[in-house]
Amino acid sequence: MKRWLLLTNEELKRSTKLLVLLISGLIVAEIASLLYQIYDYQSTIEKTMRIDQISEMDAIARAGGALTFAQATDFYDSIIVLAMGMILLFAFWIWYRDWMGETKYIYRLLLLPGSRRAIVASKLTAVLLVVASLIGIQWVLLLLSRNLYLWLLPDAQQVTASINEYSFYMKLFYTMYPTDILFILLMTFIVISFVFMTVLLERSFRRGKAFLLVGLHGVALIGGYIVLGVALSAISSNLSQLHMQFYFGYVVLLTLYVSYKNLRLVQTRLSV
């Protein structure tokens, strides 16, 4: 436990500059996009009023109605997807940086006394902590954005939006239900574990064999998911509960396999 905590702390300390840059970029991009949407809408209303010599209400009607908060945060989806992509790159980088430099930090990790499982656990924990932090920051940004939206727009130009108007990603972050957070972290755990397995396979075998193994694992995992869905569709007409049970079981088995594979590769294949 102590070794795992020390290694996790070390991973986070080594990533501080990158994480600060990522978080700062997320905050600036989302606030800037919100301000752009609001001022662009207001500019359109003012331009319509000036050119057509009509009232504010008529200009708002011509613009398609008041600006909803969902419309004001329209770019947030793209920014969130970009942040997800950065997390994936971070998951690769957190391993490959250990092979960079003259000292080859990975050699120090592999030569530490005790089980190597703490190495995998610490890197996975570091990524999950980053994701959890981004979830909290995203939630705070939404609250801040909501207040900015209400403050910058006149009452006539704003409207209370239903939660159903938000996209899938925005609903997850906006509601912040514990089940939503657990769902995000579970999906992150599975995806990051597969990224780790990809890196470890590439580091453990020659390039040709490594790429072949990565491809085979990817095809097997995705193919298994598709085959399971087709099989369930063929044998059942009431799929909702059955789908959930079987897919949950598949996810559990997938997670256990990928986790076992990662630990096995670190323990037996990586060498100094």
Side-chain angles (χ1 to χ4, degrees), residues 213 228 263 267:
L213 289 173
L228 179 61
L263 296 176
Q267 289 282 75

Side-chain angles (χ1 to χ4, degrees), residues 162-216:
S162 168
I163 189 66
N164 294 325
E165 294 184 36
Y166 301 134
S167 68
F168 173 73
Y169 298 118
M170 291 290 285
K171 286 179 183 177
L172 288 178
F173 290 113
Y174 197 73
T175 56
M176 284 291 285
Y177 292 129
T179 52
D180 292 340
I181 299 173
L182 289 175
F183 173 77
I184 295 173
L185 291 177
L186 177 61
M187 292 300 102
T188 302
F189 179 85
I190 295 171
V191 173
I192 299 305
S193 295
F194 186 78
V195 170
F196 281 10
M197 185 174 70
T198 302
V199 174
L200 292 173
L201 285 171
E202 191 275 329
R203 292 283 94 182
S204 300
F205 300 96
R206 291 183 178 179
R207 185 159 297 178
K209 185 176 181 180
F211 288 156
L212 177 63
L213 289 173
V214 170
L216 289 175

Side-chain angles (χ1 to χ4, degrees), residues 20-189:
V20 169
L21 183 63
L22 173 61
I23 292 170
S24 301
L26 176 69
I27 294 172
V28 171
E30 293 198 352
I31 297 300
S33 70
L34 174 76
L35 296 177
Y36 169 79
Q37 291 284 68
I38 290 176
Y39 285 118
D40 181 63
Y41 177 80
Q42 289 182 320
S43 176
T44 301
I45 296 298
E46 291 173 2
K47 184 178 179 180
T48 303
M49 290 172 62
R50 184 177 63 255
I51 294 176
D52 297 339
Q53 294 296 307
I54 58 177
S55 66
E56 182 184 13
M57 296 306 295
D58 290 336
I60 291 173
R62 287 196 184 185
L67 183 71
T68 67
F69 182 64
Q71 292 171 329
T73 55
D74 190 48
F75 288 114
Y76 279 31
D77 278 352
S78 300
I79 297 171
I80 291 172
V81 170
L82 181 61
M84 291 177 181
M86 295 300 294
I87 291 296
L88 286 179
L89 291 178
F90 176 67
F92 280 102
W93 180 74
I94 204 173
W95 277 104
Y96 280 119
R97 69 180 175 185
D98 292 347
W99 275 275
M100 298 177 182
E102 297 179 359
T103 57
K104 295 288 191 299
Y105 183 76
I106 189 65
Y107 296 157
R108 292 170 56 189
L109 289 178
L110 296 177
L111 290 173
L112 288 174
S115 174
R116 293 181 178 180
R117 289 176 294 182
I119 300 174
V120 179
S122 64
K123 292 182 182 294
L124 185 58
T125 303
V127 176
L128 290 177
L129 286 175
V130 172
V131 173
S133 299
L134 288 176
I135 291 173
I137 291 170
Q138 183 62 59
W139 183 68
V140 172
L141 276 174
L142 281 173
L143 296 181
L144 175 61
S145 299
R146 181 73 176 178
N147 288 327
L148 283 173
Y149 164 83
L150 296 173
W151 179 53
L152 293 173
L153 278 173
D155 291 342
Q157 296 180 13
Q158 59 181 251
V159 61
T160 303
S162 168
I163 189 66
N164 294 325
E165 294 184 36
Y166 301 134
S167 68
F168 173 73
Y169 298 118
M170 291 290 285
K171 286 179 183 177
L172 288 178
F173 290 113
Y174 197 73
T175 56
M176 284 291 285
Y177 292 129
T179 52
D180 292 340
I181 299 173
L182 289 175
F183 173 77
I184 295 173
L185 291 177
L186 177 61
M187 292 300 102
T188 302
F189 179 85

